[in-house]
Every structure is written in C-alpha cells, then in structure tokens.
Amino acid sequence: MTETINKNSTLLKVGVLSISTLLTAAGAVSGTIPMMAKEFTNQSTAQVQALITIPSIGMVIFILLSSLIIKKIGKRKTVLLGLILGLIGGIAPFFTNDFHIIQIARFILGAGNGLYSTSTASLIGDIWKGDEQRNLLGYQSAIQTFGQSLAVFVAGLLIGINWHTAYLVYLIFIPIIILFVLGYTSKTEKTIQLQQKEAASHKKVEKKTTKLPIIAMIAILMSFVYFNAIMPQQTTTPLVIQALGLKHQEMFSTALAVAGLVGAVITAFYGKIYRIFKHYTPVLAMLMAIVGYVGVIYSPNMIIFTISMFIISGSSLIFPYIYGAVMEDVPSTSKDFFLSVAKVFNNGGAYISPYTMAATASMLGITGPINTIKIAMGYLFFAGLVFVILAIVRNKKANKSLIDDKAIKRA
C-alpha cells in the first residue's frame, strides 16, 4: 500500500497552480522596445522587436524536449529547472548592456517556460480527477491570464525608472519557486510515481489494447484552428476600429486588457460551466467568439466594441477543455507527450495566424480588416461544427459503456 496524498491541501493546490503565473508573461516588457531601440542604434528595429518573440522559439523547442527531460530527472526537478531558468533569463537584461547576451537571456526565459509548460496541466491530472480536476484546470488558465496582466502592470511601473529595471518583473519567479517547493514536495512526487506504477501493473496489456486517442488528437487540431482564428482579436481589431471610424479609439488598449481579465474570470468557472454543457463546452466557446466578432464588425461605438471584446475573451474556456480532453482520452504513459503536442499546436496556431488569414483572404480575393474577421469567424464555425460531432461521438460512447456495464451486472 502506498501513502495517500492530501488532495485537499491548500498548500499543494497553491504550489501546483502558482507555476502558471508567469507562463505567458514573456511579452510583459514589450514597453521597453522604444527605449532599447534608441540605445541599441547599431541594431535594426526588427532585431530589437524580436526580443519579445525570441522566448517563443525557446518555449516551443523545450516543450518538445520536456517529456524526455521529465523521464530523465522527474517532473518536480524539471519544473524547478524551468522556473530557475525563467528567473535567470528573465532578470539577466537588468545587469547587462550587451545586446547578444540579452538575446540569449530571452531565449533562456522561453526555454525555462517551455520546460514546465506541460506540467502546469499534467500535475493537476496526476493528482486530481473528475470535477476537482476540471475546477483546477479552470483556475490554472485564469491564473495564467491574471499573471500575465500582473506582469504587464508591474513592468509598466518599473519602466518609469529605465528599461533595465522593467526586467526585474521576473523576480516574481522567486515566490513561485518557493510556493512550488513547499507545496509539491519530493515526497508527494514519489507517492504519485508509486500510485502510477500500481495502476500500470493492473493494466499490463494497455499497450496492446489501447487505440490511438483519435478524439483527443482531433481536439488538439481544432485548438490549432481556434488559435488561428482568435489572434485577430489582438492583431486586426485595431484596424477594424479605424475602418469603422469609431470615436475614442484610444480605448482599445484598455478594452483588450480588461477583456483578458474578463476571460480569466469566466475560465475560473470552467468546472461549473462544464457540469452544465459537458462536451458541448468548446461549442459554447466557439459561439462566444463568433458572437463577439459579429459585435466587433458591426459596432456603432466603442462601448459595444468593448463589450464584444469581452464576449470573445470568454472563448478561453477552450484551454482547460483541451487539456482535460487529453488527460481523459490519452493513456497515462503518453499524457505528457500529448500535452506537449497540444501546447506546440496552440503556440504554432497563434504564430502563423497572420499568414493563414492573409493566405485565405488572397484565395477568396478579398481584402480589409473586416473581411479578415469574417474569415476568422469561418474558422471558428468549422471548429465548432467539429466539436459538435466530437460531443455526439463521446455521448454515444458513454451511453454504450453504460449499457455494457448494466449488462455485465445483470449477468
């Protein structure tokens, strides 16, 4: 018999959830770009701007490597290594004026984030199941968004001193490391590993009998489509405001920032929302994004535009659903790998979105920001339709399993 984990431990939950705080905060220092461009006159503007995107490269590479590293040194040490690299890479620009060292530091920040990125969801799947797992996945996505907003706010305050100081925002990694070490102890990890070994011993034929997790794979592909379609909320809606000639266009940044927070609040209630909509939850997410986009392109003023942005952000419900679907459908031995794939597809979809939107517009022979939003709505409609089909298939499987279980009990 292995020891049990106190799943109701507040310290354990805080420790596991805390690691999501700075996961998407690499761009928090984007306000330093104009000041750095003035200082590094021997570098092109594009090279200075690339400091914001370099972490994405490191993140994708090390997301793919993370499952291999976890097998070598364990999940706890991998997360700690990622957090420590994030801290080092994050604050290094504070201490140097060497542009190339800053580039390397930004890559290290992304590499660190990539190492623990998958574990933000998989640790929840290792410990909690059912409704509690879904609740925590919702909180995890919300904390990720709140953390990004917090980092942007703090960096904005620090930039008032100089651009070097803005990078001290990544000192937030220190309390995160402390919370994780105290909450997710080595004893907790050993207990989980023993439980997983015991579970595996009762499933010796799993490799022979387990089929490919087709539903999870399709869900991951649809998240790729979703990210292609949702990025225009950031990249194209400012141009829509201009095309519509709305007054008070300066409200856009505030609208976008608050919309992110609204999305985080909605996602925090994911567990309760899932209990109502079940596997139709991603369909609800796609509908919210489509309705929000309709509001954006037909906005008569900035108030309606801002409300529409809030509705679009509610579609962030898709994040915890995808990770939950992977953990539900994929064998435990493959969970980390498939979560890594999901993270890569999400980042990849966001990265190529401007190119996909432009290519689709070119194929259709249309131009303009409003048409780009309409294309994004088409993508969302397609993804929603696929999620409807997946929900029907899941429900049929669940009903069949229920009938089979009843037949076995009668026998």
Side-chain angles (χ1 to χ4, degrees), residues 48-187:
V48 177
Q49 289 173 327
L51 292 174
I52 303 303
T53 57
I54 285 173
S56 300
I57 302 169
M59 190 169 183
V60 169
I61 293 171
F62 279 84
I63 282 174
L64 293 171
L65 293 175
S66 62
S67 56
L68 296 175
I69 296 171
I70 287 170
K71 287 181 181 178
K72 291 287 184 182
I73 64 175
K75 195 167 290 186
R76 186 173 185 269
K77 289 181 179 177
T78 302
V79 171
L80 280 173
L81 176 61
L83 292 172
I84 292 168
L85 286 176
L87 173 63
I88 294 169
I91 66 171
F94 173 76
F95 300 98
T96 181
N97 282 314
D98 188 309
F99 188 78
H100 298 299
I101 292 177
I102 293 172
Q103 287 178 312
I104 294 168
R106 296 294 287 170
F107 179 86
I108 291 172
L109 170 65
N113 285 350
L115 278 179
Y116 71 85
S117 176
T118 302
S119 297
T120 57
S122 68
L123 283 174
I124 294 172
D126 289 342
I127 303 170
W128 295 279
K129 306 298 177 188
D131 287 341
E132 187 68 1
Q133 181 190 97
R134 295 185 191 101
N135 287 336
L136 290 170
L137 283 172
Y139 298 151
Q140 182 267 321
S141 292
I143 288 170
Q144 183 174 310
T145 304
F146 278 124
Q148 182 181 14
S149 299
L150 172 66
V152 170
F153 175 73
V154 174
L157 295 177
L158 293 172
I159 203 173
I161 303 171
N162 57 54
W163 69 261
H164 284 283
T165 314
Y167 285 89
L168 291 180
V169 67
Y170 296 109
L171 287 173
I172 297 173
F173 271 114
I174 294 175
I176 294 171
I177 292 169
I178 293 170
L179 287 171
F180 179 72
V181 169
L182 294 176
Y184 190 79
T185 63
S186 55
K187 184 179 179 181

Side-chain angles (χ1 to χ4, degrees), residues 333-349:
T333 51
S334 307
K335 182 175 61 181
D336 289 325
F337 171 75
F338 277 95
L339 284 171
S340 298
V341 171
K343 294 275 186 178
V344 169
F345 270 68
N346 291 352
N347 283 282

Side-chain angles (χ1 to χ4, degrees), residues 145 149 233-234 237-238 241 246-264 296 299 301-314:
T145 304
S149 299
Q233 182 190 17
Q234 298 180 38
T237 50
I241 295 175
L246 301 183
K247 295 179 180 179
H248 306 296
Q249 296 183 13
E250 68 278 2
M251 284 177 60
F252 172 74
S253 295
T254 303
L256 187 60
V258 178
L261 295 176
V262 170
V296 162
S299 293
N301 53 57
M302 282 300 296
I303 294 174
I304 300 299
F305 178 90
T306 301
I307 293 170
S308 300
M309 293 287 279
F310 293 170
I311 297 170
I312 295 169
S313 293

Side-chain angles (χ1 to χ4, degrees), residues 148-359:
Q148 182 181 14
S149 299
L150 172 66
V152 170
F153 175 73
V154 174
L157 295 177
L158 293 172
I159 203 173
I161 303 171
N162 57 54
W163 69 261
H164 284 283
T165 314
Y167 285 89
L168 291 180
V169 67
Y170 296 109
L171 287 173
I172 297 173
F173 271 114
I174 294 175
I176 294 171
I177 292 169
I178 293 170
L179 287 171
F180 179 72
V181 169
L182 294 176
Y184 190 79
T185 63
S186 55
K187 184 179 179 181
T188 301
E189 182 170 56
K190 286 177 183 177
T191 302
I192 290 170
Q193 288 172 344
L194 287 171
Q195 289 176 346
Q196 289 174 339
K197 284 180 182 178
E198 285 182 2
S201 67
H202 292 100
K203 298 179 181 179
K204 291 180 180 177
V205 294
E206 184 179 50
K207 287 185 179 179
K208 295 180 181 178
T209 59
T210 300
K211 297 178 181 178
L212 278 173
I214 301 296
I215 292 178
M217 291 167 68
I218 294 173
I220 290 171
L221 285 173
M222 288 307 100
S223 74
F224 176 79
V225 174
Y226 166 79
F227 269 91
N228 270 277
I230 208 64
M231 286 308 292
Q233 182 190 17
Q234 298 180 38
T235 59
T236 308
T237 50
L239 302 175
V240 172
I241 295 175
Q242 293 178 358
L244 294 174
L246 301 183
K247 295 179 180 179
H248 306 296
Q249 296 183 13
E250 68 278 2
M251 284 177 60
F252 172 74
S253 295
T254 303
L256 187 60
V258 178
L261 295 176
V262 170
V265 171
I266 293 172
T267 306
F269 290 97
Y270 168 73
K272 293 180 180 179
I273 293 170
Y274 179 87
R275 283 197 287 275
I276 298 170
F277 293 95
K278 302 295 182 184
H279 291 296
Y280 288 98
T281 303
V283 181
L284 172 66
M286 299 304 107
L287 282 174
M288 291 180 77
I290 290 171
V291 169
Y293 272 149
V294 169
V296 162
I297 61 178
Y298 291 107
S299 293
N301 53 57
M302 282 300 296
I303 294 174
I304 300 299
F305 178 90
T306 301
I307 293 170
S308 300
M309 293 287 279
F310 293 170
I311 297 170
I312 295 169
S313 293
S315 67
S316 57
L317 286 169
I318 191 73
F319 303 147
Y321 179 83
I322 293 297
Y323 302 140
V326 169
M327 289 188 282
E328 184 179 326
D329 293 345
V330 171
S332 57
T333 51
S334 307
K335 182 175 61 181
D336 289 325
F337 171 75
F338 277 95
L339 284 171
S340 298
V341 171
K343 294 275 186 178
V344 169
F345 270 68
N346 291 352
N347 283 282
Y351 179 75
I352 71 166
S353 173
Y355 306 104
T356 348
M357 293 296 110

